[in-house]
Amino acid sequence: MKSTYLEINLSNLKHNYNHIRSFLNPETKFLAVVKANGYGNGSREVSKCLSESGVDYFGVAYVREGVELRNQGIKKPILVFHPQLENLQELINYNLEPSIYSLNFFNNFLSILKSNNKKLYPIQINFNTGLNRLGFSEKHYNEVINKLNKNNSLVKLKGVYSHLASSDDLGEDHFNMSQITKFEKITGLIKPIFPNAIFHLLNTSGVMNYKNYQFDMVRAGISLYGYSNDNEIDKFLKPVLTLKTIISQIHKIKKGDSVGYNRSLIAKKNMSIATIPLGHSYGITRIYGNGKGYVYVKGKKAFVVGNVCMDMLMLDVSAIECKEGDEVVVVGENASAEALANSAGTISYELLTGLSDRITRRVIVG
Ligand SMILES: *Cc1c(COP(=O)(O)O)cnc(C)c1O
């Protein structure tokens, strides 16, 4: 029996990919988002499997993540959502597609291309339609289009995209539709001049909730890994990542005894407390402490008690018959990362991407 480990199930990944594809028009391209180490699932294994499964594009946040994919043998186009000025040379060396989001960035990138004697370098333009994070706003539309025209021997416009702020929230349908309308307007301006550019807007929840607006491509991340921000859809997805560990020790404590640092639990009754080798340095942060988070022991919920420590945490197993060495399931099938994250006020994205590489990984090839 191993102690703390992560299992990555690639047949579940393929299943999720095929399931998301079933929402798409046959001609819609698929960009797989593998930033943050493939949402904590391991970008190497995930990207290789998805590349073989037929995705068209990869998306990462930073240049370094794109370089890793290239070093792992990924040949497909890679879009970098948030490249930084300081690594544009590296971006070019590894043939990554920058997302151009500001005039300053655009100008700097054009000069790097000139000094490298590059021609028709593939780029994508990010338009801000309401998220107010990155991208060109309406007042710059014309300037961007002029720049693209003027530099059409230096750069090749591969894609044009925007990102929805609340695609998972149908209560924000009105706002979502206003973003979609703005993006349609951008499409109307640019498509006549650059008919081969790929237009894309939807992330996972966009695909699920706004599938009439696929444009030419969608960008899915979280659903590939088994979660969708929607319990009904989650039923058809399979978690790729399983996090398991074992019970190291069990203490029988008496009413009035305390547990953990700062004595944050004072027992109101006699209790059984199990310690497991998993703590905040593993990515199970202190927000899960003091009765918020839970894991499964013998199929039953065991709540985290006391403050989460760096390398371990304690569970209330008073109502569960268990012993030292027994298996503990933290995330996986019937142990939803989304539900665990929600119990502590966060989301599956944060829980999954926060899992540290202190945890041993085992890949199951399906
Ligand atoms: C992270 C990200 C995505 C993926 O979103 P999911 O909700 O995980 O599908 C898509 N597009 C952009 C620009 C992103 O930053």
Side-chain angles (χ1 to χ4, degrees):
M1 174 61 72
K2 287 203 158 120
S3 65
T4 308
Y5 69 96
L6 275 177
E7 222 166 58
I8 306 300
N9 185 320
L10 295 179
S11 57
N12 286 359
L13 179 67
K14 284 183 202 157
H15 166 91
N16 296 336
Y17 169 63
N18 289 325
H19 187 68
I20 307 156
R21 275 238 73 113
S22 73
F23 287 79
L24 303 182
N25 306 326
E27 67 279 9
T28 302
K29 291 187 193 311
F30 196 111
L31 180 149
V33 181
V34 296
K35 62 195 179 192
N37 195 24
Y39 288 47
N41 290 253
S43 80
R44 172 186 291 270
E45 295 80 14
V46 160
S47 306
K48 181 163 180 284
C49 172
L50 289 170
S51 182
E52 288 162 4
S53 302
V55 305
D56 302 282
Y57 248 91
F58 285 98
V60 294
Y62 295 107
V63 170
R64 185 166 50 84
E65 297 174 325
V67 170
E68 268 171 39
L69 291 194
R70 287 282 181 250
N71 287 338
Q72 291 157 10
I74 298 294
K75 303 268 192 296
K76 299 200 177 182
I78 301 173
L79 169 60
V80 182
F81 295 133
H82 195 187
Q84 307 291 305
L85 290 177
E86 74 225 34
N87 32 41
L88 291 183
Q89 184 61 49
E90 205 178 8
L91 176 137
I92 293 171
N93 295 346
Y94 284 85
N95 192 28
L96 307 170
E97 290 178 19
S99 154
I100 308 274
Y101 53 84
S102 73
L103 289 171
N104 177 43
F105 189 92
F106 206 168
N107 291 334
N108 274 278
F109 191 63
L110 291 171
S111 2
I112 297 251
L113 288 179
K114 280 183 201 141
S115 63
N116 279 263
N117 279 319
K118 287 279 179 188
K119 293 269 174 290
L120 292 175
Y121 193 91
I123 62 163
Q124 302 225 10
I125 305 281
N126 181 2
F127 284 96
N128 172 29
T129 53
L131 180 61
N132 290 321
R133 189 172 71 173
L134 284 180
F136 292 101
S137 298
E138 197 153 1
K139 67 171 195 264
H140 290 126
Y141 289 0
N142 285 334
E143 198 166 350
V144 172
I145 294 171
N146 289 342
K147 243 186 211 313
L148 286 169
N149 279 323
K150 208 173 130 218
N151 293 287
N152 65 4
S153 60
L154 212 47
V155 294
K156 176 178 170 174
L157 183 65
K158 277 289 292 289
V160 171
Y161 77 102
S162 187
H163 196 40
L164 297 175
S166 299
S167 60
D168 58 330
D169 182 1
L170 289 173
E172 290 287 359
D173 181 58
H174 186 73
F175 188 81
N176 293 332
M177 287 311 301
S178 79
Q179 285 197 271
I180 290 170
T181 306
K182 278 189 191 154
F183 194 65
E184 282 178 325
K185 183 179 163 199
I186 293 163
T187 309
L189 287 174
I190 298 184
K191 201 147 195 136
I193 319 173
F194 298 96
N196 296 324
I198 301 168
F199 290 79
H200 48 110
L201 178 66
L202 304 181
N203 66 334
T204 289
S205 299
V207 171
M208 307 304 172
N209 293 331
Y210 294 95
K211 60 171 176 291
N212 292 335
Y213 303 97
Q214 294 173 21
F215 297 90
D216 304 313
M217 181 159 80
V218 299
R219 306 182 303 270
I222 195 76
S223 48
L224 287 169
Y225 310 105
Y227 301 93
S228 70
N229 309 310
D230 182 329
N231 290 335
E232 284 310 305
I233 292 165
D234 280 1
K235 288 179 189 155
F236 298 98
L237 298 170
K238 297 182 179 177
V240 171
L241 178 154
T242 298
L243 173 58
K244 286 182 180 170
T245 186
I246 54 169
I247 295 176
S248 302
Q249 190 174 21
I250 295 178
H251 292 287
K252 303 280 183 197
I253 64 165
K254 294 207 164 54
K255 182 178 171 187
D257 287 350
S258 65
V259 175
Y261 285 135
N262 306 103
R263 308 186 64 213
S264 65
L265 175 81
I266 306 285
K268 293 198 180 71
K269 55 181 174 45
N270 294 349
M271 296 174 83
S272 291
I273 302 295
T275 301
I276 61 173
L278 189 65
H280 62 70
S281 70
Y282 288 77
I284 303 299
T285 60
R286 284 168 56 104
I287 61 170
Y288 296 100
N290 297 306
K292 290 234 172 81
Y294 55 83
V295 299
Y296 290 88
V297 177
K298 296 272 159 82
K300 289 188 181 153
K301 270 187 190 178
F303 282 85
V304 178
V305 288
N307 285 317
V308 173
C309 314
M310 190 186 295
D311 316 297
M312 45 199 129
L313 58 80
M314 281 71 92
L315 303 170
D316 177 5
V317 292
S318 306
I320 306 172
E321 221 167 283
C322 58
K323 57 181 189 314
E324 291 168 7
D326 278 353
E327 182 177 83
V328 177
V329 182
V330 183
V331 171
E333 217 182 333
N334 304 318
S336 157
E338 180 69 10
L340 173 55
N342 291 170
S343 75
T346 184
I347 55 175
S348 57
Y349 297 71
E350 188 179 42
L351 171 56
L352 294 175
T353 59
L355 295 174
S356 90
D357 52 16
R358 270 190 103 180
I359 311 175
T360 310
R361 248 161 229 284
R362 198 165 84 188
V363 178
I364 304 176
V365 184

